[in-house]
Amino acid sequence: MTDKPDLISEAIEKLRARAERQGEAETGSEEKGPRLAVNAEKERLRRMEALLFAASEPLDIETLQTRLPAESDVEALLAALQEDYADRGVNLTEVGGRWRFETAPDLRGLLEEIREEPRKLSDAGLETLAIIAYHQPVTRAEIEEIRGVAVSKGTLDLLFELNWIRPRGRRRSPGRPVTYGTTNSFLQYFGLGGIADLPGQADLKAAGLLDARLPPGFEVPDPGLGGASDDEDPLDPEDDAHLFHVDFMEEDGETD
């Protein structure tokens, strides 16, 4: 008597084999998913690194977002890249709300060179710049009141030429005088993340830039308060262009 194939057993074996193949496929997919996610994150970091390295000026978050995949978490990527470069020869730093690579602070001496600056700020220029930085928004009349002497047009010319100051708006007072403030170029040149990073009174004393025995009531303004002002209107580029020219070019009474 010839044995007939057991159809039921064969069917069971086929089902078992199919289940095993399916399980192997699902396991492989689970392992592949995280690996793909990690690879995608590394690729976004590489792209951000390339963008920041090649940029001629610091980049803000909005610009980076437009250059990276839409699903990229730019702030998280910046934090990861900053941590990755923390102990390297160059660091990723934030300057005025923008990001750039710069030489690690302890290695800056390697890149120092002696060169003659084409134009240097006079004492009057430094004083004017400091007043604008700490008191902004500030008008020309207020600068002169703080300094005790008139501000020459040449001093303001040089600060504008260096792109360290800018017209901010118009004060809501008689005559509608122009107010001045600092620029991102000022922050970048002096290595500041923001105006709030300017040294305070205690820092200036510690650096020997202020006499330890100051006159009663003397205070250095808090640079962190130099933001928007309730008594200031922003400049209208079109309507105020000729008025600003008149304000800026008017004759000086006394020079520095």
Coordinates of all heavy atoms in Angstrom, one line a residue, residues 150-241:
A150 N 30.4 118.8 22.3 CA 29.7 118.5 21.1 C 30.4 117.3 20.4 O 31.6 117.1 20.5 CB 29.6 119.7 20.1
V151 N 29.6 116.6 19.6 CA 30.1 115.4 18.8 C 30.3 115.9 17.4 O 29.4 116.4 16.7 CB 29.1 114.3 18.8 CG1 29.6 113.1 18.0 CG2 28.8 113.8 20.2
S152 N 31.6 115.8 16.9 CA 31.9 116.2 15.6 C 31.3 115.2 14.5 O 31.1 114.0 14.8 CB 33.4 116.3 15.4 OG 34.0 115.0 15.3
K153 N 31.0 115.8 13.4 CA 30.5 115.0 12.3 C 31.6 113.9 11.9 O 31.2 112.8 11.5 CB 30.2 115.8 11.1 CG 29.4 115.0 10.0 CD 29.0 115.9 8.8 CE 30.1 116.1 7.8 NZ 30.4 114.8 7.2
G154 N 32.9 114.3 12.0 CA 33.9 113.3 11.6 C 33.9 112.0 12.5 O 34.1 110.9 12.0
T155 N 33.5 112.2 13.8 CA 33.5 111.1 14.7 C 32.3 110.1 14.3 O 32.5 108.9 14.2 CB 33.2 111.5 16.1 OG1 34.4 112.3 16.6 CG2 33.1 110.4 17.1
L156 N 31.2 110.7 14.0 CA 30.0 109.9 13.6 C 30.3 109.3 12.2 O 29.9 108.1 11.9 CB 28.8 110.7 13.5 CG 28.2 111.2 14.9 CD1 27.0 112.0 14.7 CD2 27.9 110.0 15.8
D157 N 31.0 110.1 11.3 CA 31.3 109.6 10.0 C 32.1 108.3 10.1 O 31.8 107.3 9.4 CB 32.2 110.6 9.2 CG 31.3 111.6 8.5 OD1 30.1 111.3 8.2 OD2 31.8 112.7 8.2
L158 N 33.1 108.3 11.0 CA 34.0 107.1 11.1 C 33.2 105.9 11.6 O 33.4 104.8 11.2 CB 35.2 107.4 12.0 CG 36.2 106.3 12.2 CD1 36.7 105.7 10.9 CD2 37.4 106.8 13.0
L159 N 32.4 106.1 12.6 CA 31.6 105.0 13.2 C 30.6 104.4 12.2 O 30.4 103.2 12.2 CB 30.8 105.5 14.4 CG 31.7 105.9 15.6 CD1 30.8 106.5 16.8 CD2 32.5 104.8 16.1
F160 N 30.1 105.3 11.3 CA 29.2 104.8 10.2 C 30.0 104.0 9.2 O 29.6 103.0 8.7 CB 28.5 106.0 9.6 CG 27.2 106.3 10.2 CD1 27.1 107.5 10.9 CD2 26.1 105.5 10.2 CE1 25.9 107.9 11.6 CE2 24.9 105.8 10.8 CZ 24.8 107.0 11.5
E161 N 31.2 104.6 8.9 CA 32.1 103.9 7.9 C 32.5 102.5 8.4 O 32.6 101.6 7.6 CB 33.3 104.8 7.7 CG 34.3 104.2 6.7 CD 35.6 105.1 6.6 OE1 35.4 106.3 6.6 OE2 36.7 104.5 6.4
L162 N 32.8 102.4 9.7 CA 33.1 101.1 10.2 C 31.9 100.2 10.4 O 32.0 99.0 10.7 CB 33.7 101.2 11.6 CG 35.1 101.9 11.7 CD1 35.5 102.3 13.1 CD2 36.2 101.0 11.0
N163 N 30.7 100.7 10.1 CA 29.4 100.0 10.2 C 29.2 99.5 11.7 O 28.7 98.3 11.9 CB 29.4 98.8 9.3 CG 28.0 98.2 9.1 OD1 27.0 98.9 9.3 ND2 27.9 96.9 8.8
W164 N 29.6 100.3 12.6 CA 29.4 99.9 14.0 C 28.2 100.6 14.6 O 27.7 100.2 15.7 CB 30.6 100.3 14.9 CG 31.8 99.4 14.6 CD1 31.8 98.2 13.9 CD2 33.1 99.5 15.1 NE1 33.0 97.7 13.9 CE2 33.9 98.4 14.6 CE3 33.8 100.5 15.9 CZ2 35.2 98.3 14.9 CZ3 35.1 100.3 16.2 CH2 35.8 99.2 15.7
I165 N 27.7 101.7 14.0 CA 26.4 102.3 14.5 C 25.5 102.5 13.3 O 25.9 102.4 12.2 CB 26.7 103.7 15.2 CG1 27.2 104.7 14.1 CG2 27.7 103.5 16.3 CD1 27.3 106.1 14.7
R166 N 24.2 102.7 13.6 CA 23.2 102.9 12.6 C 22.1 103.8 13.2 O 21.9 103.9 14.4 CB 22.5 101.5 12.3 CG 21.8 100.9 13.4 CD 21.3 99.5 13.1 NE 20.7 98.9 14.3 CZ 19.4 99.0 14.6 NH1 18.6 99.8 13.9 NH2 18.9 98.4 15.7
P167 N 21.3 104.5 12.3 CA 20.2 105.2 12.8 C 19.1 104.2 13.1 O 18.8 103.3 12.3 CB 19.8 106.1 11.6 CG 20.4 105.4 10.4 CD 21.6 104.7 10.9
R168 N 18.5 104.3 14.3 CA 17.4 103.4 14.7 C 16.0 103.9 14.5 O 15.2 103.1 14.0 CB 17.6 103.1 16.2 CG 18.7 102.2 16.6 CD 18.7 101.9 18.1 NE 17.4 101.7 18.6 CZ 17.1 100.7 19.5 NH1 18.1 99.9 19.9 NH2 15.9 100.6 20.0
G169 N 15.8 105.1 14.8 CA 14.4 105.6 14.7 C 14.4 107.1 15.0 O 15.4 107.8 14.9
R170 N 13.2 107.6 15.3 CA 13.0 109.0 15.7 C 12.4 109.1 17.1 O 11.4 108.4 17.3 CB 12.2 109.8 14.7 CG 13.0 110.0 13.4 CD 12.3 111.0 12.5 NE 13.2 111.3 11.3 CZ 14.1 112.2 11.3 NH1 14.4 112.9 12.5 NH2 14.8 112.5 10.3
R171 N 13.0 109.9 17.9 CA 12.4 110.1 19.3 C 11.1 110.9 19.2 O 11.0 111.8 18.4 CB 13.5 110.8 20.1 CG 13.1 111.1 21.6 CD 13.0 109.8 22.4 NE 14.1 108.9 22.3 CZ 15.3 109.0 22.9 NH1 15.5 110.0 23.7 NH2 16.2 108.1 22.7
R172 N 10.2 110.5 20.0 CA 8.9 111.2 20.1 C 9.0 112.4 21.0 O 8.4 112.4 22.1 CB 7.8 110.2 20.6 CG 7.5 109.0 19.6 CD 6.6 108.0 20.3 NE 6.4 106.8 19.5 CZ 5.8 105.7 19.9 NH1 5.3 105.7 21.2 NH2 5.7 104.7 19.1
S173 N 9.7 113.4 20.5 CA 9.9 114.6 21.2 C 10.0 115.7 20.2 O 10.2 115.5 19.0 CB 11.2 114.5 22.1 OG 12.3 114.3 21.3
P174 N 10.0 117.0 20.6 CA 10.1 118.1 19.7 C 11.3 118.0 18.8 O 12.4 117.7 19.3 CB 10.2 119.3 20.6 CG 9.4 118.9 21.9 CD 9.7 117.4 22.0
G175 N 11.1 118.2 17.5 CA 12.2 118.1 16.6 C 12.4 116.7 16.0 O 13.1 116.5 15.0
R176 N 11.7 115.7 16.6 CA 11.8 114.3 16.2 C 13.3 113.9 15.9 O 13.6 113.5 14.7 CB 11.0 114.1 14.9 CG 9.5 114.5 15.1 CD 8.7 113.4 15.7 NE 8.6 112.3 14.7 CZ 8.4 111.0 15.0 NH1 8.2 110.7 16.3 NH2 8.3 110.1 14.1
P177 N 14.2 114.1 16.8 CA 15.6 113.7 16.5 C 15.8 112.2 16.3 O 15.1 111.4 16.8 CB 16.4 114.2 17.8 CG 15.3 114.0 18.9 CD 14.0 114.4 18.2
V178 N 16.9 112.0 15.5 CA 17.2 110.6 15.1 C 17.9 109.9 16.3 O 18.7 110.6 17.0 CB 18.2 110.6 13.9 CG1 18.7 109.2 13.7 CG2 17.5 111.1 12.6
T179 N 17.6 108.7 16.5 CA 18.2 107.9 17.6 C 19.2 106.9 17.0 O 19.0 106.5 15.8 CB 17.2 107.1 18.4 OG1 16.5 106.2 17.5 CG2 16.2 108.0 19.1
Y180 N 20.3 106.6 17.7 CA 21.3 105.8 17.2 C 21.5 104.5 18.0 O 21.1 104.5 19.2 CB 22.7 106.5 17.2 CG 22.7 107.8 16.4 CD1 22.6 109.0 17.0 CD2 22.8 107.7 15.0 CE1 22.6 110.2 16.2 CE2 22.8 108.8 14.2 CZ 22.7 110.1 14.8 OH 22.7 111.2 14.1
G181 N 22.0 103.5 17.4 CA 22.2 102.2 18.1 C 23.4 101.5 17.4 O 23.9 101.9 16.4
T182 N 23.8 100.3 18.0 CA 24.9 99.6 17.4 C 24.4 98.6 16.4 O 23.2 98.3 16.2 CB 25.7 98.9 18.5 OG1 24.8 98.1 19.3 CG2 26.4 99.8 19.4
T183 N 25.3 98.0 15.6 CA 24.9 97.0 14.5 C 25.5 95.6 14.9 O 26.2 95.4 15.8 CB 25.6 97.5 13.2 OG1 27.0 97.4 13.4 CG2 25.2 98.9 12.9
N184 N 25.1 94.7 14.1 CA 25.6 93.3 14.2 C 27.1 93.3 13.9 O 27.8 92.5 14.5 CB 24.9 92.3 13.2 CG 23.6 91.8 13.8 OD1 23.4 91.7 15.0 ND2 22.7 91.4 13.0
S185 N 27.6 94.2 13.0 CA 29.0 94.2 12.8 C 29.8 94.6 14.0 O 30.9 94.1 14.3 CB 29.3 95.2 11.7 OG 28.8 94.8 10.4
F186 N 29.2 95.5 14.8 CA 29.8 95.9 16.1 C 29.9 94.7 17.0 O 31.0 94.4 17.6 CB 29.0 97.0 16.8 CG 29.3 97.2 18.2 CD1 30.3 98.0 18.6 CD2 28.5 96.7 19.2 CE1 30.6 98.3 19.9 CE2 28.8 96.9 20.6 CZ 29.8 97.7 20.9
L187 N 28.9 93.9 17.1 CA 28.9 92.7 17.9 C 29.9 91.7 17.5 O 30.7 91.1 18.2 CB 27.5 92.0 18.0 CG 26.3 92.8 18.5 CD1 25.0 92.1 18.4 CD2 26.6 93.1 20.0
Q188 N 30.0 91.5 16.1 CA 30.9 90.5 15.6 C 32.4 91.0 15.8 O 33.2 90.1 16.2 CB 30.7 90.4 14.1 CG 29.3 89.7 13.8 CD 28.9 89.8 12.3 OE1 29.7 90.1 11.5 NE2 27.6 89.7 12.0
Y189 N 32.7 92.2 15.6 CA 34.0 92.7 15.8 C 34.5 92.5 17.2 O 35.7 92.2 17.4 CB 34.1 94.2 15.4 CG 35.5 94.7 15.4 CD1 36.4 94.6 14.3 CD2 36.0 95.4 16.6 CE1 37.7 95.1 14.3 CE2 37.3 95.8 16.6 CZ 38.1 95.7 15.5 OH 39.4 96.2 15.5
F190 N 33.6 92.8 18.2 CA 34.0 92.7 19.6 C 33.7 91.3 20.2 O 33.9 91.2 21.4 CB 33.4 93.8 20.4 CG 33.9 95.2 20.1 CD1 33.3 96.0 19.2 CD2 35.1 95.6 20.6 CE1 33.8 97.3 18.9 CE2 35.7 96.9 20.3 CZ 35.0 97.7 19.5
G191 N 33.2 90.4 19.4 CA 33.0 89.0 19.9 C 31.9 88.9 20.9 O 32.0 88.2 21.8
L192 N 30.8 89.7 20.7 CA 29.7 89.7 21.6 C 28.5 88.9 21.1 O 28.2 89.0 19.9 CB 29.3 91.1 21.9 CG 30.3 92.1 22.5 CD1 29.8 93.5 22.6 CD2 30.7 91.6 23.9
G193 N 27.9 88.1 21.9 CA 26.7 87.4 21.5 C 25.5 88.3 21.4 O 24.6 88.1 20.6
G194 N 25.5 89.4 22.1 CA 24.4 90.4 22.1 C 24.9 91.5 23.0 O 25.9 91.5 23.7
I195 N 24.1 92.6 23.0 CA 24.4 93.8 23.7 C 24.5 93.5 25.2 O 25.2 94.1 26.0 CB 23.3 94.9 23.5 CG1 23.6 95.5 22.1 CG2 23.4 96.0 24.5 CD1 24.9 96.2 21.9
A196 N 23.6 92.5 25.7 CA 23.6 92.2 27.1 C 25.0 91.6 27.6 O 25.3 91.5 28.8 CB 22.5 91.2 27.4
D197 N 25.9 91.2 26.6 CA 27.2 90.7 27.0 C 28.2 91.7 27.2 O 29.4 91.4 27.5 CB 27.6 89.7 25.9 CG 26.8 88.4 25.8 OD1 26.2 88.1 26.8 OD2 26.7 87.9 24.7
L198 N 27.9 93.0 27.0 CA 28.8 94.1 27.3 C 29.2 94.0 28.8 O 28.3 93.7 29.6 CB 28.2 95.5 27.0 CG 28.2 95.9 25.5 CD1 27.3 97.1 25.3 CD2 29.6 96.2 25.0
P199 N 30.4 94.3 29.1 CA 30.8 94.3 30.5 C 30.0 95.3 31.4 O 29.8 96.4 31.0 CB 32.3 94.6 30.5 CG 32.5 95.4 29.2 CD 31.5 94.8 28.3
G200 N 29.6 94.9 32.6 CA 28.9 95.7 33.5 C 29.9 96.5 34.4 O 31.1 96.4 34.2
Q201 N 29.4 97.2 35.3 CA 30.2 98.1 36.2 C 31.3 97.3 36.9 O 32.4 97.7 37.0 CB 29.4 98.9 37.1 CG 30.1 99.9 38.0 CD 29.2 100.9 38.7 OE1 28.3 101.4 38.1 NE2 29.4 101.1 39.9
A202 N 30.9 96.1 37.5 CA 31.8 95.3 38.3 C 32.9 94.8 37.3 O 34.1 94.7 37.7 CB 31.1 94.1 38.9
D203 N 32.6 94.4 36.1 CA 33.6 93.9 35.2 C 34.6 95.0 34.8 O 35.8 94.7 34.7 CB 32.9 93.3 33.9 CG 31.9 92.2 34.2 OD1 32.3 91.3 35.0 OD2 30.8 92.1 33.6
L204 N 34.0 96.2 34.6 CA 34.9 97.3 34.2 C 35.9 97.6 35.3 O 37.1 97.9 35.1 CB 34.1 98.5 33.8 CG 33.2 98.3 32.5 CD1 32.3 99.5 32.3 CD2 34.1 98.2 31.3
K205 N 35.4 97.6 36.5 CA 36.3 97.8 37.7 C 37.3 96.8 37.8 O 38.5 97.1 38.0 CB 35.4 97.9 39.0 CG 34.7 99.1 39.3 CD 34.0 99.1 40.6 CE 33.3 100.4 41.0 NZ 32.7 100.3 42.3
A206 N 36.9 95.5 37.6 CA 37.9 94.4 37.7 C 39.0 94.5 36.7 O 40.1 94.1 36.9 CB 37.2 93.1 37.6
A207 N 38.6 95.0 35.5 CA 39.6 95.2 34.4 C 40.4 96.4 34.5 O 41.3 96.7 33.7 CB 38.9 95.2 33.1
G208 N 40.2 97.2 35.6 CA 40.9 98.4 35.8 C 40.5 99.6 34.9 O 41.3 100.6 34.7
L209 N 39.3 99.5 34.3 CA 38.9 100.5 33.3 C 38.0 101.6 34.1 O 37.6 102.6 33.5 CB 38.1 99.9 32.2 CG 38.8 98.9 31.3 CD1 37.9 98.2 30.3 CD2 40.0 99.6 30.6
L210 N 37.7 101.3 35.3 CA 37.0 102.3 36.1 C 37.7 102.4 37.5 O 38.2 101.5 38.0 CB 35.5 101.8 36.4 CG 34.5 102.0 35.3 CD1 33.1 101.5 35.8 CD2 34.4 103.4 34.9
D211 N 37.7 103.7 37.9 CA 38.3 103.9 39.2 C 37.5 103.2 40.3 O 36.3 103.2 40.3 CB 38.3 105.4 39.5 CG 39.2 105.8 40.7 OD1 39.2 105.1 41.7 OD2 39.9 106.8 40.6
A212 N 38.2 102.6 41.2 CA 37.5 101.9 42.3 C 36.7 102.8 43.2 O 35.7 102.4 43.8 CB 38.5 101.1 43.2
R213 N 37.1 104.1 43.3 CA 36.4 105.1 44.0 C 35.6 106.0 43.1 O 36.2 107.0 42.6 CB 37.3 105.9 44.9 CG 38.0 105.0 46.0 CD 39.0 105.8 46.8 NE 40.2 106.1 45.9 CZ 41.2 106.8 46.3 NH1 41.3 107.3 47.5 NH2 42.2 107.1 45.5
L214 N 34.4 105.7 42.8 CA 33.6 106.4 41.8 C 32.8 107.5 42.6 O 32.5 107.3 43.7 CB 32.7 105.5 41.1 CG 33.3 104.5 40.2 CD1 32.3 103.5 39.6 CD2 34.1 105.1 39.0
P215 N 32.5 108.6 41.9 CA 31.6 109.6 42.5 C 30.3 109.1 43.0 O 29.8 108.1 42.4 CB 31.4 110.6 41.3 CG 32.5 110.3 40.4 CD 32.8 108.9 40.5
P216 N 29.7 109.6 44.0 CA 28.4 109.1 44.5 C 27.4 109.2 43.4 O 27.3 110.2 42.7 CB 28.1 110.1 45.6 CG 29.4 110.7 46.1 CD 30.3 110.7 44.8
G217 N 26.6 108.1 43.3 CA 25.5 108.1 42.3 C 26.0 107.7 40.9 O 25.1 107.6 40.0
F218 N 27.3 107.5 40.7 CA 27.8 107.1 39.4 C 27.4 105.6 39.1 O 27.5 104.7 39.9 CB 29.3 107.2 39.3 CG 29.8 106.8 37.9 CD1 30.0 107.7 36.9 CD2 30.2 105.4 37.7 CE1 30.5 107.3 35.7 CE2 30.7 105.1 36.5 CZ 30.8 106.0 35.5
E219 N 26.8 105.4 37.9 CA 26.4 104.0 37.5 C 26.6 103.8 36.1 O 26.5 104.7 35.3 CB 24.9 103.8 37.8 CG 24.5 103.7 39.3 CD 23.0 103.4 39.5 OE1 22.3 103.2 38.5 OE2 22.6 103.3 40.7
V220 N 27.0 102.6 35.7 CA 27.1 102.2 34.3 C 25.8 101.6 33.9 O 25.3 100.7 34.6 CB 28.2 101.2 34.1 CG1 28.2 100.6 32.7 CG2 29.6 101.8 34.5
P221 N 25.2 102.1 32.8 CA 23.9 101.6 32.4 C 23.9 100.1 32.1 O 24.9 99.6 31.7 CB 23.6 102.4 31.1 CG 24.5 103.6 31.2 CD 25.7 103.2 31.9
D222 N 22.8 99.5 32.4 CA 22.7 98.0 32.1 C 22.5 97.8 30.6 O 21.5 98.2 30.0 CB 21.5 97.5 32.8 CG 21.3 96.0 32.7 OD1 22.1 95.4 31.9 OD2 20.4 95.4 33.3
P223 N 23.6 97.2 29.9 CA 23.5 97.1 28.5 C 22.3 96.2 28.0 O 21.9 96.2 26.9 CB 24.8 96.5 28.1 CG 25.3 95.8 29.4 CD 24.8 96.7 30.5
G224 N 21.8 95.3 28.9 CA 20.7 94.4 28.6 C 19.4 95.1 28.4 O 18.5 94.6 27.9
L225 N 19.4 96.4 28.8 CA 18.1 97.2 28.6 C 18.1 98.0 27.4 O 17.1 98.8 27.2 CB 17.9 98.1 29.9 CG 17.9 97.4 31.2 CD1 17.8 98.4 32.3 CD2 16.8 96.4 31.3
G226 N 19.0 97.9 26.5 CA 19.1 98.7 25.3 C 18.3 98.2 24.2 O 18.8 98.1 23.0
G227 N 17.0 97.8 24.4 CA 16.2 97.2 23.3 C 15.2 98.3 22.8 O 15.6 99.4 22.7
A228 N 14.0 97.8 22.5 CA 13.0 98.7 21.9 C 12.6 99.8 22.9 O 12.6 99.5 24.1 CB 11.8 97.9 21.5
S229 N 12.3 101.0 22.4 CA 12.0 102.1 23.3 C 10.5 102.5 23.0 O 10.2 102.6 21.8 CB 12.9 103.2 23.1 OG 12.5 104.4 23.9
D230 N 9.8 102.8 24.1 CA 8.4 103.2 23.9 C 8.3 104.6 23.3 O 7.3 105.0 22.8 CB 7.6 103.2 25.2 CG 7.5 101.7 25.7 OD1 7.5 100.8 24.9 OD2 7.3 101.5 26.9
D231 N 9.4 105.4 23.5 CA 9.3 106.8 23.0 C 10.1 107.0 21.7 O 10.6 108.0 21.3 CB 9.8 107.8 24.0 CG 11.3 107.6 24.3 OD1 11.8 106.5 23.9 OD2 11.9 108.4 25.0
E232 N 10.1 105.9 20.9 CA 10.9 105.9 19.7 C 10.1 105.3 18.5 O 9.4 104.2 18.7 CB 12.2 105.1 19.8 CG 13.0 105.0 18.6 CD 14.2 104.0 18.8 OE1 13.9 102.9 19.5 OE2 15.2 104.2 18.2
D233 N 10.1 105.9 17.4 CA 9.4 105.4 16.2 C 10.5 104.9 15.2 O 11.5 105.6 15.0 CB 8.5 106.5 15.5 CG 7.3 106.8 16.3 OD1 6.7 105.9 16.9 OD2 6.9 108.0 16.4
P234 N 10.3 103.8 14.6 CA 11.3 103.3 13.6 C 11.4 104.2 12.4 O 10.4 104.9 12.0 CB 10.7 101.9 13.2 CG 9.3 102.0 13.5 CD 9.1 102.9 14.7
L235 N 12.5 104.3 11.8 CA 12.7 105.1 10.6 C 12.0 104.6 9.4 O 12.0 103.3 9.2 CB 14.2 105.3 10.3 CG 15.1 106.2 11.1 CD1 16.5 106.1 10.6 CD2 14.6 107.7 11.0
D236 N 11.4 105.4 8.6 CA 10.8 105.0 7.4 C 11.9 105.2 6.3 O 12.3 106.4 6.1 CB 9.6 105.8 7.1 CG 8.8 105.4 5.8 OD1 9.5 105.0 4.8 OD2 7.6 105.3 5.8
P237 N 12.4 104.2 5.7 CA 13.5 104.3 4.7 C 13.3 105.4 3.6 O 14.2 106.0 3.2 CB 13.7 102.9 4.1 CG 13.1 102.0 5.2 CD 12.0 102.8 5.8
E238 N 12.0 105.5 3.2 CA 11.7 106.4 2.1 C 11.4 107.8 2.6 O 12.0 108.8 2.2 CB 10.5 105.9 1.3 CG 10.8 104.6 0.6 CD 9.6 104.1 -0.2 OE1 8.6 104.9 -0.3 OE2 9.7 103.1 -0.8
D239 N 10.5 107.9 3.6 CA 10.1 109.3 4.1 C 11.2 110.0 4.9 O 11.3 111.2 4.9 CB 8.8 109.1 4.9 CG 7.6 108.6 4.1 OD1 7.7 108.7 2.9 OD2 6.7 108.1 4.8
D240 N 12.0 109.2 5.6 CA 13.0 109.8 6.4 C 14.4 110.0 5.8 O 15.3 110.5 6.5 CB 13.1 109.0 7.7 CG 12.0 109.3 8.7 OD1 11.5 110.4 8.6 OD2 11.7 108.5 9.6
A241 N 14.6 109.5 4.6 CA 15.9 109.5 4.0 C 16.5 110.9 4.0 O 17.6 111.2 4.4 CB 15.9 108.9 2.6

